[in-house]
Amino acid sequence: MALRLRLVAVGIEGPVNLGYIFRLSENFEVDELYLVSPTASVAESLRWAAKASDMAWKATVVGSLKEALRDVELSVCTSDESSARDLLRSPVSPEQAAELMIARKGTVALVVGRESVGLTRDELAQCDLLCTIPASPKYTALNVSNATAILLYEIYKVRGKSPEYEPPSRKTIALAEAYARSLAAAVGSGEDDPGLSVRRLLSKATAAEARHLLNLLSKACSSLGCRGMARKKLEDLCGGPCEEA
């Protein structure tokens, strides 16, 4: 299956930025454009879309980020804030994000947020990875269309390149995440969401590394009698019945 690039723009507020996002989607060969609850005027944005106004009619408008990320193999969200101590804000570089995305088969998503407040913590948690663009510590926040241009360019540069490794499947990552959450519930762990930790870790891992960790988590879950709980959590992650990888 060939790589498909989905650009997800959440809550875009200004018509200028929305018009530029339409234009950038054409510039860098975005396959799918999803708009999550935009407040900007699409009609007004066409002034800045130039020859890419067709993207306005091709775009899919949805009400939530969850809908926009359906059937995605890897999602990378963006923020100007990073922190080694905050799991949600531990970032990869634009170059790393591009390499990880082009290694996938199927649809990958780049997620950009509102001009005013960016992405919420709940929205960051729905993404597999966070990417930040290095900028002066005096002012780290880039305009959303500028950030989109930089990240789409990084992906465009390496798109079509042969991947350097085999990534784990989406099902493998989801199952490992379900096992981690079930194990945490079984032992009464009060730590931050272990499932998110595992998803972030495996989204950067090789298929072999993911299989080894999945095997360990599976055996631990069997020993503690929490495989049934893991299957339920897997269905929650998949939004319904989901075969184990």
Side-chain angles (χ1 to χ4, degrees):
M1 184 182 296
L3 177 75
R4 290 186 63 80
L5 175 60
R6 179 181 299 177
L7 175 60
V8 179
V10 179
I12 299 301
E13 299 153 334
V16 177
N17 280 323
L18 184 56
Y20 287 157
I21 285 172
F22 292 146
R23 187 170 180 169
L24 290 165
S25 296
E26 286 283 13
N27 291 149
F28 296 111
E29 298 182 357
V30 168
D31 298 297
E32 304 171 5
L33 174 60
Y34 276 62
L35 303 178
V36 179
S37 301
T39 59
S41 166
V42 173
E44 191 177 349
S45 74
L46 298 181
R47 294 173 55 193
W48 289 274
K51 296 180 181 180
S53 58
D54 281 357
M55 288 302 299
W57 318 122
K58 295 177 183 176
T60 300
V61 180
V62 295
S64 69
L65 180 57
K66 183 177 181 179
E67 292 175 80
L69 295 181
R70 189 169 292 151
D71 300 323
V72 164
E73 283 295 311
L74 180 74
S75 58
V76 178
C77 57
T78 57
S79 174
D80 66 304
E81 297 181 33
S82 63
S83 171
R85 296 183 178 182
D86 186 343
L87 177 61
L88 284 177
R89 296 195 179 279
S90 179
V92 295
S93 69
E95 295 84 0
Q96 287 175 307
E99 292 287 350
L100 290 165
M101 293 174 90
I102 62 106
R104 263 62 186 182
K105 294 178 181 178
T107 303
V108 296
L110 174 66
V111 183
V112 297
R114 307 162 188 82
E115 295 95 323
S116 57
V117 296
L119 297 168
T120 66
R121 287 186 67 82
D122 177 67
E123 288 164 344
L124 293 176
Q126 292 180 56
C127 295
D128 299 315
L129 295 171
L130 172 73
C131 178
T132 58
I133 298 170
S136 169
K138 296 178 182 178
Y139 193 16
T140 59
L142 274 70
N143 174 278
V144 64
S145 58
N146 293 340
T148 302
I150 291 169
L151 293 167
L152 287 179
Y153 171 65
E154 290 295 340
I155 298 167
Y156 185 78
K157 283 195 304 183
V158 295
R159 194 171 179 179
K161 173 183 170 184
S162 297
E164 297 181 357
Y165 77 106
E166 179 189 357
S169 70
R170 187 71 198 171
K171 285 185 178 179
T172 295
I173 295 175
L175 185 54
E177 182 178 354
Y179 278 144
R181 286 181 172 162
S182 299
L183 284 167
V187 301
S189 172
E191 299 296 321
D192 290 339
D193 184 359
L196 178 60
S197 299
V198 167
R199 174 156 47 91
R200 289 282 169 99
L201 179 68
L202 294 188
S203 292
K204 296 181 283 187
T206 66
E209 291 168 337
R211 283 193 295 268
H212 284 306
L213 181 57
L214 179 60
N215 186 48
L216 178 63
L217 292 171
S218 175
K219 289 180 178 178
C221 230
S222 294
S223 297
L224 292 175
C226 59
R227 285 183 66 92
M229 187 190 305
R231 282 193 292 273
K232 176 63 172 63
K233 290 184 180 296
L234 181 61
E235 290 182 3
D236 292 341
L237 290 169
C238 294
C242 186
E243 294 180 5
E244 295 190 7

